Amino acid sequence: MKKLLSKTPLATAIVAAGIVSATALASSHREAPNITRFPALDSTDFYLFNSYEPGREDYVTAIANYVPLQDAYGGPNYFAMDESAVYSIHFDSDGDAEEDLTFEFRFDNSLPNGGVKLPVGTDGMQKDVSVPLKFIGAISASDQSTLNFNESFTINVVNGPQKSGTSAQVMSVSGEQEFTKPLAFVGEKTFGSAQGYQDYANQYVYEINIPNCSMPGKVFVGQRKDPFVVNLGETFDLVNYVPIEAGAFPGGIEQSNANDDLRNKNVNTIALELPKSCITGDGNGVVGSWTTAQVPQARLQNPNATFEKPDVNAGALVQVSRLGAPLVNELVIGIDDKDTFSSSAPGEDGQFADYVTHPTLPVILDLLFREPVNTTLGTDFDSLAPSNYPRTDLVAAFLTGVEGVNQQAMVTPSEMLRLNTGIPATPAQEQAALGVAGDDLAGFPNGRRPGDDVVDIALRVVMGALCHDIPVNGEATNLGFCSPDDAPVGNVPFTDGAPIDASYVNDGFPYLKTPVPGSASE
């Protein structure tokens, strides 16, 4: 692979820039006006990477997280998925910007045996009364008899376009057609300890048989600690910090876990581990992938709502959430087009090209920081934003992938995560948080791992890193897109001060850590 890349330094550098190089600063939590009204349908992050768990080298892991900003103590109902929705993970194996394989997840909520009722009263005044809680006692891996709520799901796989392809049910290797989503980590008294919760949740990691696939895969759906890190509050307060590493600029921000505003938040995770041979199809081994959530077009509230029927849903499925690369809808797409992006397909992304060729984020950062930078450094920059318009460097990375690295057999401009399944995974302890830019070809933007620091990568590139020399196989190289004069601060180590690396997650499926508990033991 190094030999190949030595022949394509331009491609290598574009990958280092990142597919989302026109973006920065936050994950896709609550990214569009419409989706803020439907948190159960809101995709927060999407990951796609060659599995790096020892012994799983022939597999790819896809992780779609939903229901953002979960406070662990958010009882008593916690965070169920939408029963009327179809949550999907799509794979495009040939590059035509249309799904060739889709895994569909549908959820169902039920009360075991009609719900737990307790006898209340004495003598002739006793009545059996339904309890108000989803559980009434301790829960463990071996005993869930106190549960008063079950959340289950089924999986279908569609070969071909999702709307017109051939659908078949995915079953566990033991023959189960329905799978269990474990209850949220309500607290350590209920589950005994964090390890007790993990033991309980681990039993819902299933081996699955995938139709037309000769090897089994794995699936897990349940609550996890949100793996994304970001200085969220201060960032959206007009970037209320100096977004440069301490030591590189007076008053620059120090790296600290305290800067991560998501450190105590959870998410709902849909995780799949799939054999590479089952998703690459007839392509060149590079797959594109994204996640969506759809709901029926019409939803009518039941005026006499019940647990079984709070509303009535009908009509064709309508896509209300879409996520491939991080940050795109949140900080690239203009606010008047955000809902359009959420409902569109990758093949329709040409309509959003102006947001890539002429990104607004660098201009916003210039407006916020040009005067203090000039004052502090005694400089006279006319603009901090790169001036190489149109941003062809970003177009190549954002819409097409890169020849010889993560470009598909057919090139159709479209936004999605692209992963070269032929590039071996880097073991957890050797991963570079800056991905390809950190000399780790198995990382972002060649797919995305949970430990990749996409915020810092994106911040540096959006402000013009590609206009300066960057290392390509150890040699300082200018790519020819632009020159240092086009990006006066393109060589600055921008950061939000919230660190992340592979040690922040686990090194085996489903990779994401045990959720934050709603209550800790005394």
Side-chain angles (χ1 to χ4, degrees):
M1 181 54 66
K2 286 187 176 181
K3 184 177 180 181
L4 169 64
L5 290 177
S6 67
K7 297 179 180 179
T8 58
L10 178 59
T12 307
I14 294 174
V15 172
I19 287 175
V20 294
S21 53
T23 67
L25 303 179
S27 184
S28 298
H29 300 61
R30 296 172 54 82
E31 71 277 6
N34 188 46
I35 199 62
T36 60
R37 302 186 299 156
F38 309 106
L41 304 170
D42 190 354
S43 50
T44 70
D45 281 284
F46 184 62
Y47 302 90
L48 181 72
F49 54 94
N50 291 312
S51 299
Y52 54 88
E53 179 180 352
R56 306 296 286 185
E57 295 82 6
D58 294 331
Y59 290 81
V60 162
T61 297
I63 299 173
N65 289 338
Y66 282 85
V67 194
L69 304 175
Q70 293 180 18
D71 288 317
Y73 51 80
N77 287 295
Y78 300 97
F79 308 98
M81 303 293 265
D82 191 319
E83 288 185 280
S84 300
V86 176
Y87 300 85
S88 302
I89 295 177
H90 309 269
F91 294 94
D92 170 17
S93 62
D94 56 17
D96 63 357
E98 186 172 279
E99 63 273 5
D100 298 297
L101 196 69
T102 297
F103 289 84
E104 298 180 332
F105 294 75
R106 292 173 171 84
F107 291 83
D108 181 66
N109 301 333
S110 62
L111 301 177
N113 300 315
V116 174
K117 294 180 173 61
L118 294 179
V120 180
T122 57
D123 300 330
M125 297 299 294
Q126 190 177 83
K127 292 185 177 182
D128 290 335
V129 182
S130 296
V131 300
L133 305 175
K134 289 188 171 181
F135 57 97
I136 59 170
I139 302 169
S140 68
S142 60
D143 185 3
Q144 297 94 52
S145 60
T146 62
L147 275 173
N148 190 36
F149 179 82
N150 287 331
E151 190 172 8
S152 60
F153 62 96
T154 58
I155 312 171
N156 275 33
V157 60
V158 181
N159 280 277
Q162 185 177 17
K163 292 182 179 180
S164 60
T166 302
S167 179
Q169 188 165 20
V170 175
M171 300 173 62
S172 73
V173 294
S174 58
E176 295 165 285
Q177 299 181 21
E178 194 170 63
F179 307 91
T180 295
K181 174 179 174 284
L183 185 70
F185 192 3
V186 300
E188 293 186 353
K189 179 179 180 181
T190 298
F191 288 97
S193 64
Q195 185 59 55
Y197 181 82
Q198 192 55 44
D199 291 342
Y200 158 74
N202 280 346
Q203 66 187 327
Y204 302 117
V205 175
Y206 297 92
E207 273 200 295
I208 53 175
N209 286 324
I210 304 162
N212 302 316
C213 184
S214 61
M215 299 169 60
K218 288 184 180 179
V219 67
F220 171 80
V221 177
Q223 190 183 53
R224 298 283 90 186
K225 183 188 180 302
D226 193 335
F228 195 76
V229 302
V230 64
N231 197 343
L232 191 61
E234 290 186 328
T235 291
F236 283 113
D237 183 22
L238 299 177
V239 192
N240 190 17
Y241 56 90
V242 178
I244 302 172
E245 285 187 353
F249 189 88
I253 191 168
E254 298 274 357
Q255 296 290 336
S256 171
N257 291 332
N259 292 328
D260 174 24
D261 289 330
L262 305 185
R263 62 189 181 277
N264 292 318
K265 303 294 185 180
N266 295 324
V267 289
N268 285 359
T269 290
I270 299 173
L272 280 170
E273 189 177 57
L274 305 169
K276 294 179 180 180
S277 59
C278 297
I279 63 172
T280 52
D282 297 325
N284 63 355
V286 178
V287 295
S289 191
W290 66 100
T291 183
T292 62
Q294 301 168 299
V295 289
Q297 192 170 26
R299 174 171 289 185
L300 301 177
Q301 300 303 314
N302 184 353
N304 296 299
T306 64
F307 178 87
E308 293 81 10
K309 187 175 287 188
D311 49 35
V312 178
N313 294 267
L317 289 172
V318 175
Q319 181 179 300
V320 296
S321 177
R322 168 191 167 195
L323 178 60
L327 320 169
V328 172
N329 202 7
E330 194 154 33
L331 286 172
V332 177
I333 307 300
I335 193 168
D336 52 335
D337 278 333
K338 285 178 177 290
D339 293 327
T340 303
F341 183 88
S342 292
S343 61
S344 66
E348 303 168 326
D349 286 343
Q351 64 185 308
F352 307 117
D354 286 351
Y355 295 119
V356 182
T357 61
H358 293 71
T360 58
L361 182 60
V363 177
I364 293 172
L365 292 175
D366 171 62
L367 292 172
L368 291 174
F369 290 105
R370 185 200 319 162
E371 182 176 344
V373 165
N374 282 335
T375 300
T376 301
L377 299 182
T379 50
D380 190 25
F381 294 128
D382 292 329
S383 175
L384 301 182
S387 57
N388 55 309
Y389 297 111
R391 295 289 299 270
T392 54
D393 53 336
L394 305 185
V395 170
F398 183 77
L399 294 175
T400 65
V402 179
E403 183 178 1
V405 182
N406 70 336
Q407 190 173 93
Q408 295 181 270
M410 183 188 307
V411 180
T412 305
S414 51
E415 191 284 303
M416 61 182 77
L417 275 181
R418 293 177 171 89
L419 173 70
N420 189 333
T421 62
I423 295 176
T426 302
Q429 65 274 16
E430 300 174 18
Q431 290 179 17
L434 294 181
V436 175
D439 200 25
D440 182 0
L441 192 60
F444 181 80
N446 180 28
R448 181 190 177 193
R449 302 169 302 199
D452 290 337
D453 195 343
V454 297
V455 172
D456 283 8
I457 297 170
L459 263 176
R460 297 174 192 199
V461 172
V462 73
M463 295 307 293
L466 294 184
C467 296
H468 294 255
D469 289 353
I470 66 170
V472 178
N473 290 328
E475 296 182 11
T477 305
N478 186 280
L479 308 178
F481 283 119
C482 46
S483 69
D485 290 340
D486 294 318
V489 295
N491 57 351
V492 170
F494 288 97
T495 181
D496 70 334
I500 188 173
D501 57 47
S503 70
Y504 283 59
V505 294
N506 296 326
D507 59 1
F509 186 83
Y511 292 95
L512 308 189
K513 285 190 173 292
T514 301
V516 178
S519 169
S521 299
E522 294 294 335

